Every structure is written in C-alpha cells, then in structure tokens.
Amino acid sequence: MKPRFTIIIIAMLFIGKTASSESITQTIKGRITDVENKLPLPGANIIVLNTEPIIGGVSDTDGYFRIEGVPVGRVSLKITYLGYLPMELNNLNLSSGKEMVLDISLEEQVIQGEEIVFVFKRDKTKPLNNLTTISARTFSVEESNKYAGSLGDVSRMAANYAGVQGTDESTNDIIIRGNSPNGLLWRLEGVDIPNPNHYGQFGASGGPISMLNNNVLANSDFITGAFPSEYGNALSGVFDLKMRSGNYDNHEFLAQMGLNGFELGIEGPISKENRSSYLINYRYSMMALMMLFVDYGTGTGVPEYQDVTFKFDFPTRKLGRFNIFGLGGISHIEFLNSEQDSADIEDSYYDWSDWEYDAVSGSRMGVIGTNHTYIFNESTYTKVNLAYTYHKTINGSDSLSTENRSPVPWYRQNFTETNYFASFLLNKKFNSSHNIQTGIIMKQINLNLVDSLYEGSKNRFEIMREHDGSTYLYQSYIHWQFKPNNALTFNIGLNYEYLTLTNKSSWEPRVGINWSFNENKSLSFAYGLHSQIPYILSYYEKVEQPDGSYVSPNTELSFTKAHHFVLGYDWNYRSNSRLKVEAYYQSIFNAPVQADEESSLSMLNNGTFSGEIPEYLENTGTGYNYGLEVTLERFLSKGFYYLFTSSLYDSKYKGSDGISRNTAFNGNYMVNILTGKEWNIGKKEKNKVFALNGKITSAGGRRYTPVDVEQSIIDNETVYDYDQAYSKQLDGFFRMDFQISYRKNGKKATQEYALDIKNVTNRKNPLFNRYNLQAREEVIIYQAGISPMLTYRIMF
C-alpha cells in the first residue's frame, strides 16, 4: 500500500464531534398490498417488535401506513391482516438520514379460518416473484454494500451465491452453473435491457464497472435456473431488477465518494396529496484521481465514465399507477502505448508491454421507459411497459511499427443497437387457490453494424460485418399457479418465442412444485425448456468470396436450447438460519458451432471479452451441466451473520468434431465464506455502528486452450491450438476480502465511512494465457493484487 494512500485512510476515518445525547428517531412508512392482485389492504397492523411501549400503526384505505418516532438502528416489523399469512421483516437498517419506505405484499391463506402456526418471514432466499419455484432468491441493496468484495456492484454480489462463479476480477460476468455469462437475461422494471455495464460489449452481459447504482435499486430477484414462463430469451439465469420510488413526503439528499465514482442523489415528493415522487442519481468516475494512489490493474488506460438513473412515480386513485424510469451511461478509455516508452508500460490484464498496440474503447447505453399498472377489480389487474433502449460500442486498435512505434491500422468497429420494447401483462386471481398470469412481449431490434480488419497482404481493410436493418422478437406466455392448501404450490406455464429474421420459433413448457411438508422444511422440483437467440452479430457475419463479393452464411441460425431440471431441499433449522441444497442437470442442444470444417469451436464458450466466432455456423453443438449446491446461512441477528455457499459441478460441450471437452467455465468447484459483525457503540448505543465484514473465495481455475508456440513464432502473434481446446486448467483461484465500516446517525443526517480491501493476501490469481512476442513463449497473465477502496456517504 502506498504511503499517500495511508494518509488518506487516516484522514477519511477521522470522525467529527459526536452526535447529540438526545434520542434519535426516524419514520417508517409504506404500503401493504396483496401479492397476487396488487390490491391495497386497508386495516393491516404493523408492529415494531421489541419496543416498550409497543410502537405500531395501521394501513389506511389505500394500504398506506406511517409510524413515527421509531428509534434508529436495527428494527424488526410484524405485519398481520385477517385472512392473510402474517409476515416478519427482521433487522432492517433504520437510519436518521433517510426515512424507511417499504412496499410489502402479503399472501392470502388458502383455507380460511384454519389456525396458522407459522409466520412467513421475508428472507433472502425467497424471490419477490411468487410464481418462481426454485433456484431463486431476493437480494437486498444492503448486501451489495455489506458483503466484502462486492464494491457496491450487484453483479459482484451475486457471485457469492451458490452456483455462481466469479473468478475474473477484470469483469463482473455472472457465470451460472457452468454456462456462458452471455446466457443471462437483464430485466429492469419489467423491461429487457442491454448489457448494463460501462465498457459493455455487444452480445455480452458483463463489464468492469456496473451502471446499476445500488443507491436507487430496491430488493430484486436473482434466478439461476428453471425460471418461470414470463422470462424468455435466456439460457442460464435472470436478473430481475426493481427500482425504488422516491420519498413521497420529504425531500432527501445523498452524496457519496468512492472507487465507483462521485455520486449525488436527490428524491422527494412531486405532489404530497397523491404521493407522487421523483428519484434522480448521478455518478461521475473518480478512477483518474484514485489511480494516483492505488494500482487497479488498468495499466496505461484511465477509465472515464458517468451515468444517471431516475424514476418518477405517479399513483392515482382512478387511473392506476404510472412510472417513468431511465438509466444511461457513457464510458471511454484509451491505451496509447505509442506515446510512452515501452520500458515504462506496466503489465496488466488490460495491456501488456510486449504487445505493441494502441487501443480506444468506448460505449454508450441508455434505457427510458414507462409502465402503467391498472387494477380493474378485486381479482384482475394489468401492467403495460413501453421502453426504448440504446447501446453503442466503438472500438479501434492499431498495432505499432517495430521501427518507430508509430500506429499502424488494424481493427475498426462501430456498432449500434436500438430496441423498441412493449409488453402487456394480465393477472387474474380467481380465489386463494388459483391465479393465472398471461402476457405478450414485443421487441423491435434495430442494428447498424460496421467493423473491419486490416489485411496487410491486400493493403486494405476487409469487411467483417456491414448491416443496417431491423428484425422482431415476439414472446408470449401463460402461467397458472395452483395452491390446493398452504403447504403445496404448483406453477405450470408455457412460453413461446418467434424471431422474424429467421422465421424460427420455440415452444417452451415450464413446471414447478413446492411442498412445505412441515413448518420449516420444504422440497421443490422444477423443469423448464429454455431458449435464446444466438449472438446477434453472428447473423450478419460477412465472408469475402474469391470474386470479391461477400456472403452472409449464418442467416438461418435457430435458437440455442436447454432442458433445465432442478431438485431442492430447504430447511429453516432455526428462526434465523437456513440450509438449502439443490441438485441440477442441464442438457443443451442447438448450440452454434463451426460449420465449414470439424472443429472444437462452440459459442457456448464465449464470454464478455473472450471466445472465438467462426465465420460459418450451424446449430449442431451440444453440452451439459450438472452439479450440487449447498447454502448454509445465518441471517443478520444480534449483529452477526454468515453465509457459506459451495458448488460442485461439471460442464462439458461438443463442437462440430463431436469430441466431448470441458467448457471454458468448468472450474469444477466454488466455495464462498462470508461473515460479519456489527457493534453499537457510544453513549447512545443505536446512534453509532462499527462493523467488520470478511470473505474468503476458493475456486477451481478457468480452463484454457494452450498456445501453439511454433505457429505463433511464424505468425508473430498468439495462435491457439484448438485441437486441444480447454484441455488445460489454470491454478486454483483464492482471494480474501475485508471491509471495515462506521456509521453515525446524527439528528438529521447519517454518515457512513467504509474501507474495502480486496485481495488482502495480495495473491496474483491467473487469468488467461497468451504468446509473449519478446520471450517467444507461452505466458500466463495474472490479475491485480491487493486493491483498497475508500467510500464516504452522507444522507440527509
């Protein structure tokens, strides 16, 4: 750690004068609704547990409630309503700088009048989407701040869950159960969105820095397999993200400074009478400043980015509820090795001293949408989503002359994708046992693609793709949930997809069963057939013919498909502890592989910054994944929590050569151990909180294809031996992360200080292999060592 950085740590951790000795309180408010028909529940009782005298409130005719004078700190609530299962929300973090606004949904009892001997607790392993049976959990925004190593990024936070592999520190790719990270569906406020990461590439799902700001997100769902019928065009999993609404009574402000940038946030009421609100957050990169003190592994490049997120919420009494929301970001980075002496260029996983080149990379991504929810009657509601999405990437690379290091043109890319998205959902709750949801989704995909590679022998750029046009992806689904009693739930659905570009379609059945055979134990099973259109650029690959003309050989590609089978056991062996075990099997078919010759290449191995795309493709590839996952978790109680997740799995594929091989993501095992403890300190014990959080990750190394050294010497560039594709494995991954934080509640503001240290042991984990031009041998590129990060946040 550099001396200058030590000085900054001491300065930022210095705390001013202590808070007033007066008791500090805050307001808890929100709305109570039915989980299925979204109707408000008037007269629901909300009690703050462990208060003397008891503090509580009752929801009004519109389902809203407000409880004032609640002491700040960790609070627990119990919500009851006649004919509905009671709910407990435990250990919520109530701070003085921000009112707590809750959106609570209760589940109706199936058998009226029967005594209910259990209380439903909204724990993190249960999804918000009640139509999901298995392989899903709700994550909270607090987790992305609390879990060591997550760095406020929901993608990196998800890597702590069973079945998710997160061993590449240069990107937040979400690798689920040995599948390609590109099989993930991103959904925001009901809208399918492009890659929500700065520097995010086409057809990918990850990047170095997320645009998803956890200060504006609400609790959301993360699903890792056999997802219900409303989710289509995805093979591995779903990130179903929700944005919170702004405070509808008071204006509140936020300022934050850390590695992810300098942030400013504002929220408040538009009209207090109808509880409409606004929420706006802006973030600007601080990497240039932070890199004066800490090496984050970006070498000669300095990341520059900014993003903005907003939501406007307009509830009405007669016309339903309207929301307008948006997310947008721009990013840019340059690696200009031609402007530096080669002796001054440091090795990193972004640029290397012996690879002589200049590169410029940038991306722009934006989403703006609106949705409208309308309740027709006590059993029926509809929801309409309309959105526009934009994604643009610009990349250029020049090799450097061996004589004077001047740039020599090599690769140019300019890709733009704009989508018009529309969806309609109809939900009909017939009674407490039967609920049906159906919907349609339409997306117009507009592409403007140009990229080319310089061919030295021809002294010109050779076109790889050149396309300007559009296509449509249509989806429809129906889902029936049947609950014969409070212990048994059936989820049965059907999804349909149709792509106009190829006139290909897919019918996909989904089935899920959950049996709670006693108060704290349950068994679940789910099956689903899932499909995804191939990497969109594959359709527009252009291949030059001997006569100088071009052909597009992949316009008939069909959906890649997978059968998902999952069996799960869930045991709440204590009031605050859970054991969860899941076994799964996935059979993948119709995967795009090389068509013009027998080859090991398969699109199942493509990731954000990795993978080969053959010019000629066909849907004859296969693959399979199977494994066992264990989660042992103690939810935060008395200031202490732990999370243990482990995965044992195998992931194989076959290319057009018919040989079974490891996929690029077959690490075979993954173990995460997280724990943390917080203490109330000071004269007023709930006004100041000191916390320690730690994490240990151990995982099998990534698979890689060895370099063909002899051919690399001849071509003077890296050439891989694809006959031995993914036959080698990097050394195992190991990392320890640590976080120390301090939170102080003043009368009107909350201040938070945190120091995250990623990779405490300074272990240089291997990332990938390549050919070293100077040494003329295969080398391993390693990831960054220890990386400290300071964060300061104030809410008022």
Side-chain angles (χ1 to χ4, degrees):
M1 189 179 298
K2 301 181 181 181
R4 289 176 293 179
F5 188 74
T6 305
I7 296 173
I8 289 182
I9 294 176
I10 297 173
M12 288 195 66
L13 290 181
F14 176 76
I15 310 300
K17 67 178 183 179
T18 59
S20 169
S21 59
E22 298 179 16
S23 177
I24 298 176
T25 63
Q26 185 55 279
T27 298
I28 300 176
K29 61 187 180 182
R31 197 181 191 211
I32 315 292
T33 59
D34 183 293
V35 70
E36 292 171 333
N37 61 21
K38 308 305 179 184
L39 279 172
L41 299 180
N45 290 296
I46 306 95
I47 296 174
V48 182
L49 299 177
N50 305 315
T51 55
E52 185 63 40
I54 293 177
I55 301 174
V58 179
S59 60
D60 63 17
T61 56
D62 295 318
Y64 288 97
F65 70 93
R66 181 182 180 90
I67 307 173
E68 298 180 343
V70 183
V72 298
R74 294 288 175 182
V75 298
S76 297
L77 304 178
K78 183 174 181 178
I79 303 96
T80 58
Y81 187 73
L82 183 63
Y84 284 72
L85 300 179
M87 174 184 285
E88 285 186 12
L89 303 177
N90 293 316
N91 292 291
L92 304 175
N93 182 20
L94 181 64
S95 64
S96 60
K98 179 174 177 52
E99 293 183 339
M100 181 176 289
V101 184
L102 300 173
D103 188 2
I104 301 170
S105 296
L106 298 183
E107 182 178 351
E108 187 178 5
Q109 295 178 24
V110 175
I111 302 175
Q112 300 290 340
E114 185 177 275
E115 182 182 1
I116 303 300
V117 297
F118 60 90
V119 174
F120 176 69
K121 298 183 179 181
R122 182 181 289 178
D123 57 70
K124 295 172 289 184
T125 62
K126 296 291 186 180
L128 295 175
N129 187 337
N130 67 311
L131 304 183
T132 302
T133 304
I134 200 170
S135 296
R137 68 174 289 156
T138 296
F139 71 87
S140 67
V141 173
E142 184 180 2
E143 288 176 323
S144 62
N145 286 319
K146 179 175 64 179
Y147 286 170
S150 295
L151 305 181
D153 185 341
V154 294
S155 298
R156 298 182 191 277
M157 177 208 63
N160 298 309
Y161 301 149
V164 184
Q165 177 185 350
T167 59
D168 184 347
E169 297 169 6
S170 65
T171 180
N172 57 13
D173 270 340
I174 299 176
I175 299 170
I176 300 173
R177 295 176 172 175
N179 289 285
S180 164
N182 299 342
L184 180 74
L185 170 65
W186 287 102
R187 180 168 286 185
L188 178 66
E189 288 289 299
V191 173
D192 296 354
I193 64 172
N195 185 355
N197 288 281
H198 290 293
Y199 311 101
Q201 300 300 303
F202 264 55
S205 65
I209 301 165
S210 177
M211 295 182 196
L212 298 167
N213 193 314
N214 62 1
N215 288 318
V216 299
L217 292 177
N219 290 354
S220 303
D221 282 346
F222 179 59
I223 310 173
T224 58
F227 26 94
S229 58
E230 68 178 274
Y231 303 112
N233 195 30
L235 281 183
S236 65
V238 177
F239 233 131
D240 193 351
L241 298 160
K242 310 295 183 185
M243 294 176 62
R244 65 181 181 87
S245 297
N247 193 319
Y248 48 76
D249 283 330
N250 299 302
H251 298 280
E252 295 178 334
F253 306 90
L254 174 144
Q256 179 171 311
M257 181 175 64
L259 173 64
N260 289 338
F262 177 74
E263 298 182 30
L264 292 174
I266 182 172
E267 61 182 279
I270 298 175
S271 169
K272 292 185 179 181
E273 182 178 355
N274 60 21
R275 295 188 173 94
S276 59
S277 65
Y278 69 90
L279 171 68
I280 304 172
N281 191 283
Y282 172 76
R283 179 172 58 177
Y284 185 81
S285 166
M286 288 186 59
M287 287 288 285
L289 174 62
M290 298 295 291
M291 287 175 64
L292 295 174
F293 307 99
V294 182
D295 178 11
Y296 289 102
T298 57
T300 62
V302 178
E304 300 176 8
Y305 56 88
Q306 54 186 315
D307 51 60
V308 64
T309 313
F310 63 87
K311 181 178 180 180
F312 299 92
D313 184 19
F314 301 95
T316 68
R317 287 184 175 271
K318 296 182 179 181
L319 299 178
R321 192 179 197 117
F322 297 85
N323 285 318
I324 301 172
F325 60 92
L327 166 67
I330 58 176
S331 53
H332 180 80
I333 191 169
E334 296 181 354
F335 301 108
L336 301 180
N337 293 333
S338 62
E339 299 180 2
Q340 298 194 31
D341 190 290
S342 59
D344 297 330
I345 301 174
E346 298 180 0
D347 287 345
S348 75
Y349 44 74
Y350 287 105
D351 65 333
W352 315 294
S353 59
D354 64 310
W355 185 7
E356 299 292 304
Y357 81 113
D358 282 354
V360 176
S361 179
S363 66
R364 296 184 178 185
M365 181 271 191
V367 178
I368 184 168
T370 181
N371 56 54
H372 173 235
T373 303
Y374 185 77
I375 300 175
F376 282 88
N377 51 47
E378 294 183 355
S379 64
T380 308
Y381 79 90
T382 61
K383 186 173 183 178
V384 176
N385 287 294
L386 300 173
Y388 170 81
T389 70
Y390 175 86
H391 189 200
K392 183 182 185 69
T393 63
I394 298 176
N395 293 287
S397 299
D398 295 337
S399 59
L400 301 185
S401 168
T402 56
E403 297 179 357
N404 56 16
R405 292 175 56 81
S406 61
V408 178
W410 181 47
Y411 177 71
R412 298 291 183 269
Q413 178 207 94
N414 191 327
F415 292 162
T416 302
E417 176 183 353
T418 59
N419 296 325
Y420 293 94
F421 180 95
S423 67
F424 173 80
L425 176 154
L426 170 66
N427 193 94
K428 175 72 173 180
K429 180 179 179 180
F430 292 91
N431 51 47
S432 60
S433 295
H434 298 275
N435 187 71
I436 289 182
Q437 186 176 112
T438 185
I440 57 174
I441 300 172
M442 185 278 290
K443 182 164 69 172
Q444 182 189 50
I445 305 171
N446 305 284
L447 296 168
N448 189 315
L449 311 172
V450 178
D451 71 333
S452 56
L453 190 66
Y454 187 78
E455 181 60 55
S457 61
K458 300 178 182 179
N459 194 29
R460 64 177 174 85
F461 277 94
E462 184 174 318
I463 294 174
M464 300 175 66
R465 300 170 192 87
E466 188 174 32
H467 174 79
D468 187 4
S470 62
T471 185
Y472 290 85
L473 177 65
Y474 296 101
Q475 301 176 64
S476 61
Y477 63 90
I478 187 169
H479 188 113
W480 171 44
Q481 185 177 78
F482 171 50
K483 294 185 288 186
N485 53 56
N486 288 317
L488 193 60
T489 302
F490 295 90
N491 287 301
I492 302 171
L494 181 67
N495 180 281
Y496 173 75
E497 295 186 71
Y498 174 70
L499 182 66
T500 61
L501 175 66
T502 60
N503 289 323
K504 306 289 186 181
S505 61
S506 178
W507 293 91
E508 303 164 15
R510 317 280 173 86
V511 178
I513 305 171
N514 180 271
W515 176 36
S516 298
F517 54 90
N518 70 17
E519 181 180 347
N520 57 3
K521 297 178 181 178
S522 66
L523 286 173
S524 301
F525 170 78
Y527 161 76
L529 175 61
H530 305 273
S531 70
Q532 185 178 36
I533 61 175
Y535 181 38
I536 193 68
L537 299 184
S538 303
Y539 290 108
Y540 306 106
E541 190 84 20
K542 288 189 177 296
V543 181
E544 187 175 8
Q545 302 301 294
D547 62 0
S549 63
Y550 288 89
V551 297
S552 299
N554 302 323
T555 55
E556 297 300 317
L557 284 176
S558 186
F559 295 88
T560 303
K561 299 186 178 184
H563 296 285
H564 286 205
F565 301 87
V566 189
L567 178 66
Y569 170 73
D570 214 335
W571 177 26
N572 292 286
Y573 60 92
R574 291 180 183 172
S575 61
N576 58 7
S577 301
R578 175 184 295 268
L579 171 67
K580 185 176 183 180
V581 181
E582 288 191 0
Y584 67 88
Y585 178 79
Q586 299 175 353
S587 176
I588 305 171
F589 59 102
N590 276 14
V593 296
Q594 189 160 344
D596 55 331
E597 61 179 282
E598 292 186 352
S599 168
S600 64
L601 295 178
S602 171
M603 299 292 284
L604 296 179
N605 294 310
N606 282 32
T608 296
F609 297 113
S610 62
E612 295 288 331
I613 304 176
E615 291 181 334
Y616 293 87
L617 292 168
E618 62 183 6
N619 290 105
T620 59
T622 60
Y624 66 83
N625 307 307
Y626 66 87
L628 180 69
E629 301 167 358
V630 177
T631 298
L632 182 64
E633 183 169 13
R634 171 191 165 104
F635 307 126
L636 184 68
S637 178
K638 297 180 179 180
F640 176 67
Y641 76 91
Y642 60 75
L643 173 64
F644 169 83
T645 62
S646 64
S647 307
L648 296 175
Y649 62 99
D650 194 30
S651 178
K652 295 288 198 300
Y653 82 99
K654 290 182 180 180
S656 57
D657 59 6
I659 299 175
S660 179
R661 292 181 169 89
N662 294 297
T663 67
F665 313 106
N666 190 18
N668 294 129
Y669 74 92
M670 187 85 186
V671 177
N672 291 296
I673 303 173
L674 294 89
T675 187
K677 173 67 177 175
E678 59 182 38
W679 294 268
N680 296 316
I681 59 176
K683 293 181 180 180
K684 291 294 180 179
E685 61 178 7
K686 289 190 176 182
N687 295 350
K688 300 177 183 179
V689 180
F690 175 77
L692 297 175
N693 296 284
K695 173 186 173 182
I696 297 175
T697 298
S698 178
R702 294 279 289 270
R703 304 283 175 169
Y704 71 94
T705 301
V707 169
D708 185 336
V709 177
E710 293 185 2
Q711 192 62 46
S712 297
I713 293 174
I714 296 173
D715 294 351
N716 200 35
E717 64 180 9
T718 301
V719 178
Y720 292 101
D721 182 5
Y722 288 109
D723 290 337
Q724 304 297 320
Y726 306 106
S727 60
K728 303 292 185 180
Q729 187 173 21
L730 296 170
D731 292 340
F733 179 93
F734 180 83
R735 198 180 80 200
M736 295 180 62
D737 302 323
F738 177 76
Q739 182 195 76
I740 179 173
S741 66
Y742 177 84
R743 182 173 67 250
K744 180 174 68 172
N745 286 300
K747 274 190 173 182
K748 296 183 179 180
T750 297
Q751 298 182 71
E752 297 180 2
Y753 306 78
L755 169 63
D756 283 89
I757 304 178
K758 189 173 70 173
N759 199 356
V760 174
T761 63
N762 200 32
R763 174 184 169 89
K764 300 295 182 68
N765 286 295
L767 182 59
F768 61 87
N769 66 314
R770 67 178 184 85
Y771 173 68
N772 186 296
L773 298 177
Q774 296 176 353
R776 309 186 88 182
E777 64 181 10
E778 182 181 48
V779 297
I780 301 296
I781 299 300
Y782 291 87
Q783 306 188 53
I786 186 170
S787 299
M789 169 185 168
L790 284 166
T791 302
Y792 170 75
R793 176 164 60 174
I794 182 170
M795 297 177 290
F796 57 97

